[in-house]
Amino acid sequence: MEKEFISERQAAILLDVDPSSMKMWRDKKIIEEGLYIVKRYPAMKRIFYKKNELLEWAKSFNG
């Protein structure tokens, strides 16, 4: 069974970019908020991406 959500590191590997690019794209609103969720913990936060929607976004992205 394929996972619906993947970690930021997995997303970066999938798109063949550095994880810092994923953060920059989020910060600049290049990646829409609907493509990921933020899980907050007391000392940190984790970002999880919707794998299939991220792949669809990547097909149209030319940055």
Side-chain angles (χ1 to χ4, degrees):
M1 183 172 178
E2 189 175 352
K3 293 193 295 186
E4 180 182 357
F5 289 93
I6 57 175
S7 71
E8 185 158 57
R9 183 176 181 276
Q10 291 169 324
I13 290 169
L14 184 68
L15 299 181
D16 196 28
V17 297
D18 193 88
S20 64
S21 295
M22 303 297 292
K23 181 182 181 330
M24 179 189 64
W25 291 340
R26 276 195 332 275
D27 291 346
K28 291 185 174 192
K29 309 276 190 243
I30 294 170
I31 294 180
E32 301 116 22
E33 289 187 35
L35 292 178
Y36 63 91
I37 60 171
V38 180
K39 295 262 186 161
R40 297 189 189 281
Y41 302 96
M44 69 177 124
K45 69 178 180 179
R46 296 275 187 226
I47 310 298
F48 295 95
Y49 292 86
K50 296 177 181 178
K51 183 178 180 181
N52 292 332
E53 292 179 32
L54 183 65
L55 287 172
E56 286 299 315
W57 172 83
K59 288 179 188 176
S60 65
F61 180 65
N62 58 4

